């Protein structure tokens, strides 16, 4: 895609699956093609990483095999908030884009664990409850969205685009 091809670039739950060495390149590409904003959602921090390890083992115990996404997250390691923040700053500087960055916690880590364990249940009724019925409780879950968080949301508004051509 060409430079500044998209008004908004969105990446949710993707960076943690990339090798650490190419995460910065991925973020840089997001800024290269973005015109107005970049939004990134990513599990981050030590508590989220420990939870992934717990859930990975729980999945192996319940289902009897490994879950590829947990394997990737554990192997690649979850990024730290400061690491992603610094990559955003460096990428925006490189592409001469002045930005406003807001970082917001998302998904209470205890709620995340409960929901993931429910999703891993082998019982049909439990599965229906967690995958369908609890969707109606999302407004209540938002009230529980407090630290510690499993995921961080990076809202990056591009304040001014300086064309370098």
């Amino acid at each position: 895609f060409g430079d500044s091809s998209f008004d908004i670039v969105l990446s949710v739950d993707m960076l943690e699956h990339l090798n650490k060495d190419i995460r910065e390149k991925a973020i840089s590409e997001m800024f290269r093609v973005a015109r107005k904003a970049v939004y990134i959602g990513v599990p981050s921090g030590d508590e989220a990483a420990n939870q992934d390890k717990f859930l990975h083992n729980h999945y192996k115990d319940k289902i009897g095999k490994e879950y590829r996404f947990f394997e990737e997250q554990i192997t690649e390691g979850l990024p730290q908030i400061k690491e992603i923040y610094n990559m955003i700053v460096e990428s925006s500087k490189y592409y001469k884009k002045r930005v406003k960055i807001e970082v917001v916690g998302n998904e209470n880590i205890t709620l995340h664990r409960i929901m993931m364990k429910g999703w891993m249940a082998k019982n049909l009724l439990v599965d229906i409850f967690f995958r369908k019925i609890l969707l109606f409780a999302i407004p209540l879950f938002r009230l529980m969205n407090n630290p510690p968080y499993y995921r961080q949301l990076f809202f990056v508004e591009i304040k001014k685009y300086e064309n370098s051509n």
Side-chain angles (χ1 to χ4, degrees):
F1 299 106
D3 293 354
S4 300
S5 297
F6 302 97
D7 285 343
I8 298 171
V9 175
L10 173 68
S11 170
V12 179
D13 292 348
M14 182 270 294
L15 289 174
E16 69 275 15
H17 298 284
L18 299 179
N19 183 280
K20 291 177 186 180
D21 297 336
I22 62 172
R23 286 180 186 156
E24 188 167 11
K25 178 68 174 162
I27 290 173
S28 179
E29 279 297 296
M30 290 178 211
F31 277 90
R32 185 183 66 77
V33 301
R35 186 175 15 246
K36 295 181 180 177
V38 174
Y39 302 132
I40 299 171
V42 60
S44 59
D46 295 336
E47 285 186 85
N50 289 335
Q51 178 150 286
D52 280 351
K53 290 173 188 169
F54 169 83
L55 290 170
H56 180 63
N57 290 328
H58 181 76
Y59 186 88
K60 285 192 295 189
D61 291 345
K62 284 282 185 190
I63 308 300
K65 61 181 180 178
E66 298 201 356
Y67 191 56
R68 177 174 59 99
F69 295 116
F70 284 133
E71 287 180 65
E72 290 173 358
Q73 288 171 219
I74 292 167
T75 300
E76 300 305 334
L78 297 185
Q80 299 293 323
I81 296 168
K82 189 170 184 77
E83 174 186 0
I84 298 297
Y85 191 94
N86 289 340
M87 289 178 190
I88 289 169
V89 169
E90 290 304 312
S91 295
S92 63
K93 283 181 185 176
Y94 182 82
Y95 289 107
K96 299 179 181 173
K97 296 181 179 185
R98 192 166 57 93
V99 297
K100 176 185 171 196
I101 305 169
E102 181 182 5
V103 183
V104 177
N106 175 254
E107 196 173 20
N108 173 271
I109 204 157
T110 302
L111 181 59
H112 179 265
R113 179 183 290 217
I114 291 166
M115 296 301 292
M116 291 297 291
K117 285 176 73 176
W119 169 76
M120 294 176 195
K122 292 182 105 174
N123 179 301
L124 179 62
L125 293 177
V126 172
D127 186 58
I128 290 169
F129 177 76
F130 275 88
R131 291 182 187 254
K132 304 293 184 211
I133 295 170
L134 281 182
L135 292 176
F136 295 107
I138 288 174
L140 295 174
F141 293 159
R142 287 192 179 127
L143 297 174
M144 297 172 61
N145 193 35
N146 49 40
Y149 298 109
Y150 177 72
R151 177 183 300 99
Q152 298 296 319
L153 305 176
F154 295 82
F155 297 103
V156 186
E157 178 185 345
I158 298 173
K159 303 289 276 179
K160 180 182 174 187
Y161 175 71
E162 300 173 16
N163 195 341
S164 59
N165 293 336

